């Protein structure tokens, strides 16, 4: 992985899916994941804003292949430094220290989507906004018109949900090993290679089967 830092720009606090940008998709968090994130946020030394920040960091790290990312907020830069052995729990601890040191309490972050997801030199941005309520955490990804389609944004949201879910279940797993591919994407990628079934007439003899193309 490259060690060059990447810079991401933070945004002011906002509730999810408010339509502040043209395209908005809710992050589909299973109830068990939402409860797990709530428990992580309530852990001594953690903060609610640190949990989604760690998840967003993880997504950007996986997309870019970099070992360092930086999120700029109104409270100052929030930087993440990782290596191949950084676990999701350690990433949350980094996020907690960063938000605590900067006095950041919001959970809204704007990120420039890295190459190769977009063409080099493009400045397509994503906004992750999260809020906590009686039902747990609610997150949404938003983008400006003309950047990503609702289908692309939905795929990003599913990937973030997978990272948060796997990180909640296995917080001591390395960030680089957390599952990122959805079941639909896995079937689309692997399915054609596994489609090797062929029909053979069981009435044919061995020498006749060898002649079948």
């Amino acid at each position: 992985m490259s060690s060059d830092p990447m810079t991401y720009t933070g945004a002011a606090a906002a509730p999810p899916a408010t339509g502040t940008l043209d395209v908005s998709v809710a992050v589909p968090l299973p109830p068990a994941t939402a409860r797990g994130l709530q428990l992580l946020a309530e852990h001594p030394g953690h903060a609610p804003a640190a949990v989604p920040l760690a998840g967003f960091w993880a997504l950007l790290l996986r997309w870019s292949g970099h070992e360092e990312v930086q999120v700029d907020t109104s409270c100052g830069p929030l930087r993440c430094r990782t290596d191949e052995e950084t676990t999701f729990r350690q990433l949350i601890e980094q996020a907690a220290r960063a938000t605590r040191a900067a006095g950041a309490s919001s959970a809204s972050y704007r990120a420039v989507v890295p190459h190769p997801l977009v063409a080099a030199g493009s400045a397509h941005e994503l906004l992750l906004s999260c809020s906590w309520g009686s039902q747990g955490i609610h997150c949404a990804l938003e983008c400006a018109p003309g950047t990503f389609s609702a289908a692309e944004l939905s795929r990003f949201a599913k990937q973030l949900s997978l990272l948060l879910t796997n990180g909640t279940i296995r917080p001591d797993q390395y960030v680089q090993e957390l599952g990122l591919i959805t079941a639909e994407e896995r079937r689309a990628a692997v399915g054609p290679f596994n489609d090797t079934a062929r029909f053979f007439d069981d009435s044919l003899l061995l020498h006749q089967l060898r002649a079948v193309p």
Side-chain angles (χ1 to χ4, degrees):
M1 291 190 298
S2 170
S3 59
D4 297 334
M6 300 185 65
T7 300
Y8 303 100
T9 303
T18 57
T20 55
L21 296 179
D22 206 47
V23 184
S24 177
V25 173
V27 178
L29 295 175
T33 300
R35 288 193 297 271
L37 295 175
Q38 179 76 40
L39 291 175
L40 288 173
E42 295 173 350
H43 189 276
H46 291 182
V51 176
L53 173 59
F56 204 29
W57 269 347
L59 185 63
L60 299 169
L61 288 165
R62 294 293 299 277
W63 280 350
S64 67
H66 288 240
E67 295 180 345
E68 179 180 326
V69 294
Q70 177 177 303
V71 178
D72 292 331
T73 71
S74 59
C75 298
L78 306 180
R79 177 171 294 179
C80 162
R81 299 178 187 273
T82 68
D83 56 35
E84 293 181 353
E85 296 184 350
T86 299
T87 67
F88 189 69
R89 189 190 303 277
Q90 291 171 333
L91 200 60
I92 293 177
E93 292 171 352
Q94 282 196 49
R97 290 193 297 269
T99 54
R100 186 166 55 250
S105 59
S106 65
S108 183
Y109 311 100
R110 191 180 300 272
V112 176
V113 178
H115 176 77
L117 270 74
V118 297
S122 299
H124 293 180
E125 293 184 334
L126 285 180
L127 174 68
L128 172 67
S129 55
C130 303
S131 64
W132 298 87
S134 59
Q135 302 300 316
I137 188 171
H138 303 273
C139 299
L141 284 177
E142 301 178 62
C143 67
T147 54
F148 300 106
S149 67
E152 290 174 316
L153 204 59
S154 178
R155 180 165 61 89
F156 297 159
K158 289 178 181 178
Q159 289 180 337
L160 178 57
S161 176
L162 276 174
L163 281 176
L164 290 171
T165 297
N166 291 327
T168 300
I169 297 172
R170 295 179 292 275
D172 293 313
Q173 186 169 5
Y174 300 145
V175 171
Q176 294 300 327
E177 294 180 356
L178 291 174
L180 184 65
I181 300 176
T182 65
E184 293 84 357
E185 290 173 329
R186 184 176 292 104
R187 283 194 295 269
V190 179
F193 296 99
N194 287 339
D195 186 17
T196 57
R198 295 292 184 271
F199 170 77
F200 293 101
D201 187 347
D202 59 7
S203 66
L204 297 176
L205 300 177
L206 180 59
H207 71 280
Q208 294 172 312
L209 285 174
R210 293 181 61 184
V212 175

